[in-house]
Amino acid sequence: MPALHTILLLVASNVFMTIAWYGHLKNLATAPWWVAALVSWCIALAEYLLQVPANRIGYQQAGFSVGQLKIMQEVITLSVFVPFAVIYLGEPLKLDYLWAGLCLVGAVYFIFRAA
């Protein structure tokens, strides 16, 4: 169960992170940069409140290594970012997202394989 909690917390933290980092490009496009930064920092607080326990649970209870946690984070980041960019920001879906995802699949393989 700690592994599932880790993954769910990482997904939730990534939703907040993606909104904090990129949501202002649409929502606060005409606001001064410092307003966007302050709003983003407030949203990012929620991300940290989920990210820190996710890493602690994953490392201390689920037995993930730091490298495994980082690669999981990157895979989840891309999994959250692509739909956000395409659906919310209206970015075109590019084949490059697939190639990046395949590179991450390789990273997952190497970080989780039995050495």
Side-chain angles (χ1 to χ4, degrees):
M1 214 52 157
L4 180 61
H5 287 147
T6 299
I7 293 166
L8 292 175
L9 285 168
L10 287 174
V11 169
S13 75
N14 261 282
V15 169
F16 282 103
M17 179 192 72
T18 301
I19 292 169
W21 285 13
Y22 302 103
H24 64 87
L25 297 175
K26 182 174 181 180
N27 296 331
L28 300 171
T30 60
W33 73 266
W34 59 269
V35 171
L38 288 175
V39 171
S40 293
W41 283 346
C42 290
I43 297 168
L45 175 61
E47 185 252 333
Y48 282 105
L49 292 174
L50 296 167
Q51 176 79 17
V52 170
N55 284 327
R56 291 177 68 92
I57 292 168
Y59 186 76
Q60 294 173 347
Q61 296 175 26
F64 293 124
S65 70
V66 174
Q68 289 171 330
L69 287 167
K70 182 59 182 170
I71 294 301
M72 254 193 290
Q73 174 71 23
E74 296 306 325
V75 169
I76 292 168
T77 296
L78 190 61
S79 300
V80 170
F81 173 76
V82 171
F84 180 84
V86 172
I87 296 167
Y88 188 73
L89 294 177
E91 293 284 316
L93 183 59
K94 297 180 180 180
L95 201 53
D96 290 341
Y97 291 132
L98 173 65
W99 305 135
L102 289 174
C103 289
L104 286 174
V105 168
V108 169
Y109 169 75
F110 286 113
I111 204 74
F112 279 95
R113 73 182 172 146

